[in-house]
mmCIF file of all heavy atoms in Angstrom:
data_model
loop_
_atom_site.group_PDB
_atom_site.id
_atom_site.type_symbol
_atom_site.label_atom_id
_atom_site.label_comp_id
_atom_site.label_asym_id
_atom_site.label_seq_id
_atom_site.Cartn_x
_atom_site.Cartn_y
_atom_site.Cartn_z
ATOM 1 N N ASP A 1 89.673 67.186 69.936
ATOM 2 C CA ASP A 1 90.356 67.951 70.985
ATOM 3 C C ASP A 1 89.944 69.424 70.981
ATOM 4 O O ASP A 1 89.853 70.045 72.025
ATOM 5 C CB ASP A 1 91.873 67.844 70.846
ATOM 6 C CG ASP A 1 92.393 66.463 71.189
ATOM 7 O OD1 ASP A 1 91.652 65.678 71.819
ATOM 8 O OD2 ASP A 1 93.542 66.156 70.820
ATOM 9 N N GLN A 2 89.703 69.963 69.797
ATOM 10 C CA GLN A 2 89.321 71.375 69.676
ATOM 11 C C GLN A 2 87.810 71.570 69.711
ATOM 12 O O GLN A 2 87.333 72.695 69.703
ATOM 13 C CB GLN A 2 89.881 71.965 68.377
ATOM 14 C CG GLN A 2 91.384 72.006 68.336
ATOM 15 C CD GLN A 2 92.011 70.686 67.884
ATOM 16 O OE1 GLN A 2 91.350 69.683 67.627
ATOM 17 N NE2 GLN A 2 93.332 70.676 67.805
ATOM 18 N N LYS A 3 87.062 70.459 69.699
ATOM 19 C CA LYS A 3 85.594 70.484 69.695
ATOM 20 C C LYS A 3 85.051 71.258 68.495
ATOM 21 O O LYS A 3 84.134 72.069 68.594
ATOM 22 C CB LYS A 3 85.057 71.041 71.014
ATOM 23 C CG LYS A 3 85.390 70.168 72.209
ATOM 24 C CD LYS A 3 84.869 70.771 73.490
ATOM 25 C CE LYS A 3 85.126 69.902 74.697
ATOM 26 N NZ LYS A 3 86.492 69.682 75.049
ATOM 27 N N ILE A 4 85.645 70.959 67.337
ATOM 28 C CA ILE A 4 85.265 71.605 66.081
ATOM 29 C C ILE A 4 85.091 70.525 65.024
ATOM 30 O O ILE A 4 85.852 69.561 64.979
ATOM 31 C CB ILE A 4 86.348 72.606 65.623
ATOM 32 C CG1 ILE A 4 86.493 73.746 66.643
ATOM 33 C CG2 ILE A 4 86.048 73.160 64.233
ATOM 34 C CD1 ILE A 4 87.669 74.665 66.386
ATOM 35 N N VAL A 5 84.089 70.703 64.164
ATOM 36 C CA VAL A 5 83.921 69.828 63.006
ATOM 37 C C VAL A 5 83.975 70.728 61.769
ATOM 38 O O VAL A 5 83.356 71.786 61.733
ATOM 39 C CB VAL A 5 82.612 68.994 63.069
ATOM 40 C CG1 VAL A 5 81.383 69.857 63.179
ATOM 41 C CG2 VAL A 5 82.505 68.050 61.893
ATOM 42 N N VAL A 6 84.768 70.313 60.790
ATOM 43 C CA VAL A 6 84.887 71.053 59.534
ATOM 44 C C VAL A 6 84.334 70.175 58.423
ATOM 45 O O VAL A 6 84.659 68.989 58.334
ATOM 46 C CB VAL A 6 86.353 71.447 59.231
ATOM 47 C CG1 VAL A 6 86.456 72.171 57.891
ATOM 48 C CG2 VAL A 6 86.923 72.317 60.352
ATOM 49 N N THR A 7 83.498 70.768 57.572
ATOM 50 C CA THR A 7 82.927 70.032 56.455
ATOM 51 C C THR A 7 83.299 70.722 55.147
ATOM 52 O O THR A 7 83.736 71.875 55.138
ATOM 53 C CB THR A 7 81.390 69.953 56.574
ATOM 54 O OG1 THR A 7 80.839 71.273 56.496
ATOM 55 C CG2 THR A 7 80.976 69.289 57.879
ATOM 56 N N GLN A 8 83.123 69.971 54.049
ATOM 57 C CA GLN A 8 83.361 70.514 52.716
ATOM 58 C C GLN A 8 82.182 70.066 51.835
ATOM 59 O O GLN A 8 82.282 69.072 51.117
ATOM 60 C CB GLN A 8 84.705 70.033 52.152
ATOM 61 C CG GLN A 8 85.097 70.746 50.898
ATOM 62 C CD GLN A 8 86.485 70.387 50.381
ATOM 63 O OE1 GLN A 8 86.895 70.959 49.406
ATOM 64 N NE2 GLN A 8 87.225 69.464 50.974
ATOM 65 N N PRO A 9 81.044 70.807 51.917
ATOM 66 C CA PRO A 9 79.851 70.413 51.164
ATOM 67 C C PRO A 9 80.085 70.358 49.650
ATOM 68 O O PRO A 9 79.518 69.510 48.969
ATOM 69 C CB PRO A 9 78.828 71.485 51.507
ATOM 70 C CG PRO A 9 79.344 72.177 52.715
ATOM 71 C CD PRO A 9 80.827 71.990 52.721
ATOM 72 N N ALA A 10 80.902 71.253 49.135
ATOM 73 C CA ALA A 10 81.268 71.275 47.714
ATOM 74 C C ALA A 10 82.765 71.563 47.637
ATOM 75 O O ALA A 10 83.350 72.115 48.578
ATOM 76 C CB ALA A 10 80.481 72.354 46.977
ATOM 77 N N ALA A 11 83.373 71.196 46.546
ATOM 78 C CA ALA A 11 84.820 71.385 46.392
ATOM 79 C C ALA A 11 85.220 72.836 46.672
ATOM 80 O O ALA A 11 84.674 73.764 46.081
ATOM 81 C CB ALA A 11 85.255 70.977 44.993
ATOM 82 N N GLY A 12 86.132 73.015 47.611
ATOM 83 C CA GLY A 12 86.646 74.333 47.942
ATOM 84 C C GLY A 12 85.767 75.154 48.876
ATOM 85 O O GLY A 12 86.127 76.260 49.257
ATOM 86 N N GLU A 13 84.617 74.624 49.276
ATOM 87 C CA GLU A 13 83.699 75.325 50.195
ATOM 88 C C GLU A 13 83.775 74.658 51.563
ATOM 89 O O GLU A 13 83.295 73.541 51.743
ATOM 90 C CB GLU A 13 82.269 75.261 49.656
ATOM 91 C CG GLU A 13 81.254 75.895 50.578
ATOM 92 C CD GLU A 13 79.816 75.628 50.147
ATOM 93 O OE1 GLU A 13 79.585 75.038 49.080
ATOM 94 O OE2 GLU A 13 78.929 76.000 50.922
ATOM 95 N N PHE A 14 84.396 75.338 52.519
ATOM 96 C CA PHE A 14 84.563 74.780 53.852
ATOM 97 C C PHE A 14 83.616 75.452 54.832
ATOM 98 O O PHE A 14 83.398 76.661 54.779
ATOM 99 C CB PHE A 14 86.010 74.942 54.333
ATOM 100 C CG PHE A 14 86.984 74.134 53.534
ATOM 101 C CD1 PHE A 14 87.638 74.687 52.443
ATOM 102 C CD2 PHE A 14 87.238 72.815 53.854
ATOM 103 C CE1 PHE A 14 88.528 73.937 51.685
ATOM 104 C CE2 PHE A 14 88.121 72.056 53.100
ATOM 105 C CZ PHE A 14 88.768 72.616 52.019
ATOM 106 N N LYS A 15 83.077 74.637 55.721
ATOM 107 C CA LYS A 15 82.208 75.112 56.794
ATOM 108 C C LYS A 15 82.759 74.560 58.100
ATOM 109 O O LYS A 15 83.283 73.445 58.135
ATOM 110 C CB LYS A 15 80.766 74.614 56.609
ATOM 111 C CG LYS A 15 80.104 75.054 55.326
ATOM 112 C CD LYS A 15 79.717 76.507 55.403
ATOM 113 C CE LYS A 15 78.929 76.926 54.183
ATOM 114 N NZ LYS A 15 78.307 78.221 54.363
ATOM 115 N N ALA A 16 82.634 75.333 59.175
ATOM 116 C CA ALA A 16 83.089 74.877 60.487
ATOM 117 C C ALA A 16 81.981 75.107 61.507
ATOM 118 O O ALA A 16 81.279 76.119 61.460
ATOM 119 C CB ALA A 16 84.348 75.622 60.903
ATOM 120 N N PHE A 17 81.840 74.146 62.399
ATOM 121 C CA PHE A 17 80.804 74.190 63.420
ATOM 122 C C PHE A 17 81.365 73.708 64.745
ATOM 123 O O PHE A 17 82.360 72.984 64.787
ATOM 124 C CB PHE A 17 79.631 73.265 63.040
ATOM 125 C CG PHE A 17 79.078 73.517 61.672
ATOM 126 C CD1 PHE A 17 79.490 72.749 60.590
ATOM 127 C CD2 PHE A 17 78.150 74.520 61.450
ATOM 128 C CE1 PHE A 17 78.993 72.971 59.318
ATOM 129 C CE2 PHE A 17 77.637 74.755 60.177
ATOM 130 C CZ PHE A 17 78.060 73.983 59.111
ATOM 131 N N SER A 18 80.666 74.058 65.812
ATOM 132 C CA SER A 18 80.978 73.467 67.108
ATOM 133 C C SER A 18 80.681 71.976 66.991
ATOM 134 O O SER A 18 79.679 71.580 66.405
ATOM 135 C CB SER A 18 80.090 74.080 68.190
ATOM 136 O OG SER A 18 80.201 73.333 69.385
ATOM 137 N N ALA A 19 81.532 71.156 67.558
ATOM 138 C CA ALA A 19 81.312 69.712 67.538
ATOM 139 C C ALA A 19 80.493 69.261 68.742
ATOM 140 O O ALA A 19 80.268 68.077 68.930
ATOM 141 C CB ALA A 19 82.650 68.974 67.505
ATOM 142 N N LYS A 20 80.014 70.208 69.524
ATOM 143 C CA LYS A 20 79.229 69.903 70.716
ATOM 144 C C LYS A 20 77.753 69.868 70.344
ATOM 145 O O LYS A 20 77.171 70.877 69.942
ATOM 146 C CB LYS A 20 79.490 70.969 71.783
ATOM 147 C CG LYS A 20 78.922 70.660 73.119
ATOM 148 C CD LYS A 20 79.372 71.730 74.115
ATOM 149 C CE LYS A 20 78.722 71.508 75.451
ATOM 150 N NZ LYS A 20 79.102 72.561 76.400
ATOM 151 N N CYS A 21 77.131 68.701 70.459
ATOM 152 C CA CYS A 21 75.726 68.519 70.104
ATOM 153 C C CYS A 21 74.848 69.437 70.950
ATOM 154 O O CYS A 21 75.065 69.584 72.158
ATOM 155 C CB CYS A 21 75.308 67.061 70.302
ATOM 156 S SG CYS A 21 73.589 66.742 69.868
ATOM 157 N N THR A 22 73.860 70.038 70.316
ATOM 158 C CA THR A 22 72.978 70.971 71.016
ATOM 159 C C THR A 22 71.925 70.258 71.866
ATOM 160 O O THR A 22 71.154 70.910 72.558
ATOM 161 C CB THR A 22 72.291 71.912 70.018
ATOM 162 O OG1 THR A 22 71.564 71.139 69.057
ATOM 163 C CG2 THR A 22 73.313 72.793 69.311
ATOM 164 N N HIS A 23 71.906 68.941 71.844
ATOM 165 C CA HIS A 23 70.955 68.206 72.675
ATOM 166 C C HIS A 23 71.499 67.992 74.082
ATOM 167 O O HIS A 23 70.960 68.519 75.037
ATOM 168 C CB HIS A 23 70.584 66.862 72.033
ATOM 169 C CG HIS A 23 69.761 65.988 72.919
ATOM 170 N ND1 HIS A 23 70.211 64.774 73.361
ATOM 171 C CD2 HIS A 23 68.540 66.163 73.471
ATOM 172 C CE1 HIS A 23 69.282 64.230 74.142
ATOM 173 N NE2 HIS A 23 68.265 65.054 74.229
ATOM 174 N N ALA A 24 72.565 67.225 74.197
ATOM 175 C CA ALA A 24 73.089 66.882 75.526
ATOM 176 C C ALA A 24 74.564 67.231 75.693
ATOM 177 O O ALA A 24 75.175 66.876 76.684
ATOM 178 C CB ALA A 24 72.873 65.398 75.807
ATOM 179 N N GLY A 25 75.143 67.904 74.702
ATOM 180 C CA GLY A 25 76.528 68.337 74.823
ATOM 181 C C GLY A 25 77.575 67.310 74.461
ATOM 182 O O GLY A 25 78.763 67.543 74.660
ATOM 183 N N CYS A 26 77.171 66.172 73.928
ATOM 184 C CA CYS A 26 78.142 65.167 73.492
ATOM 185 C C CYS A 26 78.923 65.709 72.292
ATOM 186 O O CYS A 26 78.434 66.563 71.560
ATOM 187 C CB CYS A 26 77.427 63.884 73.075
ATOM 188 S SG CYS A 26 76.552 63.072 74.416
ATOM 189 N N ILE A 27 80.106 65.184 72.068
ATOM 190 C CA ILE A 27 80.904 65.574 70.912
ATOM 191 C C ILE A 27 80.519 64.668 69.746
ATOM 192 O O ILE A 27 80.523 63.436 69.875
ATOM 193 C CB ILE A 27 82.416 65.458 71.206
ATOM 194 C CG1 ILE A 27 82.799 66.352 72.395
ATOM 195 C CG2 ILE A 27 83.239 65.814 69.967
ATOM 196 C CD1 ILE A 27 82.499 67.822 72.216
ATOM 197 N N VAL A 28 80.180 65.288 68.613
ATOM 198 C CA VAL A 28 79.836 64.505 67.425
ATOM 199 C C VAL A 28 81.036 63.648 67.065
ATOM 200 O O VAL A 28 82.172 64.002 67.366
ATOM 201 C CB VAL A 28 79.398 65.406 66.250
ATOM 202 C CG1 VAL A 28 78.160 66.212 66.622
ATOM 203 C CG2 VAL A 28 80.515 66.321 65.792
ATOM 204 N N ASP A 29 80.775 62.515 66.398
ATOM 205 C CA ASP A 29 81.893 61.598 66.181
ATOM 206 C C ASP A 29 82.192 61.262 64.735
ATOM 207 O O ASP A 29 83.252 60.720 64.446
ATOM 208 C CB ASP A 29 81.702 60.313 66.985
ATOM 209 C CG ASP A 29 80.542 59.464 66.482
ATOM 210 O OD1 ASP A 29 79.655 59.989 65.777
ATOM 211 O OD2 ASP A 29 80.505 58.264 66.805
ATOM 212 N N GLN A 30 81.272 61.573 63.813
ATOM 213 C CA GLN A 30 81.562 61.236 62.416
ATOM 214 C C GLN A 30 80.748 62.090 61.461
ATOM 215 O O GLN A 30 79.735 62.671 61.833
ATOM 216 C CB GLN A 30 81.326 59.757 62.159
ATOM 217 C CG GLN A 30 79.915 59.282 62.434
ATOM 218 C CD GLN A 30 79.784 57.789 62.208
ATOM 219 O OE1 GLN A 30 80.416 57.227 61.307
ATOM 220 N NE2 GLN A 30 78.956 57.126 62.998
ATOM 221 N N VAL A 31 81.237 62.129 60.236
ATOM 222 C CA VAL A 31 80.546 62.823 59.151
ATOM 223 C C VAL A 31 80.430 61.822 58.006
ATOM 224 O O VAL A 31 81.438 61.420 57.422
ATOM 225 C CB VAL A 31 81.327 64.075 58.691
ATOM 226 C CG1 VAL A 31 80.553 64.810 57.613
ATOM 227 C CG2 VAL A 31 81.620 64.997 59.873
ATOM 228 N N THR A 32 79.194 61.389 57.754
ATOM 229 C CA THR A 32 78.941 60.412 56.685
ATOM 230 C C THR A 32 77.629 60.748 56.004
ATOM 231 O O THR A 32 76.714 61.304 56.618
ATOM 232 C CB THR A 32 78.858 58.977 57.247
ATOM 233 O OG1 THR A 32 77.870 58.925 58.266
ATOM 234 C CG2 THR A 32 80.188 58.506 57.802
ATOM 235 N N ALA A 33 77.540 60.401 54.732
ATOM 236 C CA ALA A 33 76.318 60.569 53.945
ATOM 237 C C ALA A 33 75.758 61.988 54.043
ATOM 238 O O ALA A 33 74.550 62.179 54.141
ATOM 239 C CB ALA A 33 75.270 59.537 54.366
ATOM 240 N N GLY A 34 76.645 62.982 54.042
ATOM 241 C CA GLY A 34 76.208 64.379 54.071
ATOM 242 C C GLY A 34 75.676 64.852 55.408
ATOM 243 O O GLY A 34 75.045 65.908 55.481
ATOM 244 N N GLN A 35 75.937 64.095 56.470
ATOM 245 C CA GLN A 35 75.438 64.468 57.790
ATOM 246 C C GLN A 35 76.510 64.305 58.865
ATOM 247 O O GLN A 35 77.349 63.406 58.806
ATOM 248 C CB GLN A 35 74.216 63.629 58.163
ATOM 249 C CG GLN A 35 73.023 63.878 57.262
ATOM 250 C CD GLN A 35 71.787 63.109 57.702
ATOM 251 O OE1 GLN A 35 71.874 62.094 58.385
ATOM 252 N NE2 GLN A 35 70.632 63.608 57.313
ATOM 253 N N ILE A 36 76.421 65.189 59.859
ATOM 254 C CA ILE A 36 77.273 65.118 61.044
ATOM 255 C C ILE A 36 76.463 64.356 62.084
ATOM 256 O O ILE A 36 75.305 64.702 62.345
ATOM 257 C CB ILE A 36 77.601 66.536 61.556
ATOM 258 C CG1 ILE A 36 78.289 67.364 60.460
ATOM 259 C CG2 ILE A 36 78.445 66.474 62.815
ATOM 260 C CD1 ILE A 36 78.298 68.858 60.725
#
């Protein structure tokens, strides 16, 4: 809903990104195996 994806690459280290793909503007849908 907010078009934001938050990740935690290491314990206590948070990163936030736009969830809007830079290719066609779709909203990313999952975070698995170290990748959005």
Side-chain angles (χ1 to χ4, degrees):
D1 290 344
Q2 295 84 358
K3 296 179 177 64
I4 297 171
V5 58
V6 178
T7 64
Q8 190 175 183
E13 177 189 355
F14 294 93
K15 300 285 186 168
F17 307 97
S18 168
K20 189 174 175 182
C21 181
T22 57
H23 172 243
C26 296
I27 301 301
V28 299
D29 68 340
Q30 59 182 325
V31 183
T32 55
Q35 295 184 337
I36 302 164

